Amino acid sequence: AQRVTQPEKLLSVFKGAPVELKCNYSYSGSPELFWYVQYSRQRLQLLLRHISRESIKGFTADLNKGETSFHLKKPFAQEEDSAMYYCALSPAGGTSYGKLTFGQGTILTVHP
Amino acid sequence: DTAVSQTPKYLVTQMGNDKSIKCEQNLGHDTMYWYKQDSKKFLKIMFSYNNKELIINETVPNRFSPKSPDKAHLNLHINSLELGDSAVYFCASSHGDRGGGETQYFGPGTRLLVL
């Protein structure tokens, strides 16, 4: 079974402060990890995926298999980063057809 | 030229009614999904179809029946609606590789309220 945990339901920071959204996962096989974001009045969209190893909108996330974590980080938060963030896991390989298991979501609020 | 579209956007209905939500994607993807987002914003997969074939069915009540007339459409029909069905339902699609790890593209959601 696959499970994703985001321990913080709400996270508030001030503009310019560093931000870290935590994500831990449980999966016996090899996982693919994602961060999806939902801005106000917009649809859910991919922010980044661990396999790409890229920085999107200043956000990065590193897969730590030892700690089974995939925390999302940004050194200097901006007001436009305020949104709902979901961590998600998909089994890699096999016949999973992209079955995504989502965490509970973290609402990030960046204050001016 | 919306990539993944859903209709209707809002749906208010009485308990016991039957309703359908439609989803269409113009991305040429082979795989489509239905997710349910509950009042606590928890997002959970319900179904997935690949090339009109059901491949994921996540312990959803039989009252929910997905139908895929072609690979660009995945509709969700709900019989005998219950109060607990109130939620936001999201459709999504992806390219369709068997190996997973793909980006999924989401529709805008359909907010269902059962009275």
Side-chain angles (χ1 to χ4, degrees):
Chain A
Q2 50 201 76
R3 185 181 176 90
V4 178
T5 302
Q6 293 177 247
E8 303 138 331
K9 182 67 180 176
L10 302 169
L11 185 61
S12 290
V13 300
F14 285 99
K15 178 181 173 182
V19 63
E20 181 180 50
L21 289 82
K22 294 191 182 340
C23 172
N24 288 91
Y25 67 90
S26 172
Y27 179 61
S28 57
S30 181
E32 299 269 4
L33 273 297
F34 306 81
W35 277 99
Y36 279 81
V37 61
Q38 188 173 27
Y39 300 103
S40 179
R41 301 185 186 280
Q42 293 188 29
R43 62 187 67 198
L44 195 63
Q45 59 187 287
L46 178 71
L47 179 62
L48 55 81
R49 45 192 294 189
H50 92 271
I51 199 169
S52 301
R53 292 186 159 273
E54 56 192 345
S55 173
I56 303 294
K57 298 185 178 182
F59 284 97
T60 58
D62 291 318
L63 178 60
N64 186 322
K65 291 187 177 181
E67 297 182 357
T68 60
S69 68
F70 188 57
H71 303 327
L72 183 68
K73 300 177 184 178
K74 185 170 182 175
F76 308 103
Q78 302 299 315
E79 289 179 68
E80 54 265 30
D81 295 330
S82 296
M84 169 72 96
Y85 291 80
Y86 288 98
C87 183
L89 178 152
S90 175
T95 58
S96 65
Y97 285 102
K99 177 184 172 181
L100 276 178
T101 296
F102 285 89
Q104 301 93 320
T106 297
I107 299 172
L108 173 65
T109 303
V110 181
H111 300 284
Chain B
D1 55 349
T2 305
V4 182
S5 59
Q6 294 178 228
T7 54
K9 194 170 182 180
Y10 300 97
L11 186 53
V12 181
T13 187
Q14 300 285 335
M15 266 198 314
N17 284 350
D18 302 337
K19 291 293 179 185
S20 293
I21 306 172
K22 295 185 177 181
C23 178
E24 177 181 0
Q25 56 94 3
N26 62 5
L27 296 167
H29 288 164
D30 287 341
T31 304
M32 296 184 72
Y33 312 81
W34 277 110
Y35 291 88
K36 180 180 180 180
Q37 186 183 49
D38 63 22
S39 58
K40 296 183 178 180
K41 302 290 188 183
F42 185 57
L43 201 58
K44 184 171 168 56
I45 190 165
M46 300 174 69
F47 301 102
S48 176
Y49 270 71
N50 178 270
N51 263 320
K52 302 193 296 177
E53 183 181 343
L54 180 67
I55 51 172
I56 295 175
N57 184 341
E58 289 288 305
T59 59
V60 177
N62 291 336
R63 299 182 295 104
F64 290 79
S65 54
K67 286 185 173 52
S68 183
D70 55 62
K71 72 174 191 178
H73 296 83
L74 180 61
N75 303 323
L76 183 65
H77 188 75
I78 315 171
N79 289 326
S80 303
L81 279 156
E82 299 177 357
L83 294 176
D85 297 333
S86 296
V88 181
Y89 292 85
F90 287 98
C91 177
S93 73
S94 67
H95 182 74
D97 290 338
R98 290 161 58 107
E102 303 179 310
T103 299
Q104 293 189 16
Y105 296 83
F106 285 80
T110 295
R111 190 175 296 274
L112 172 65
L113 178 60
V114 182
L115 302 175

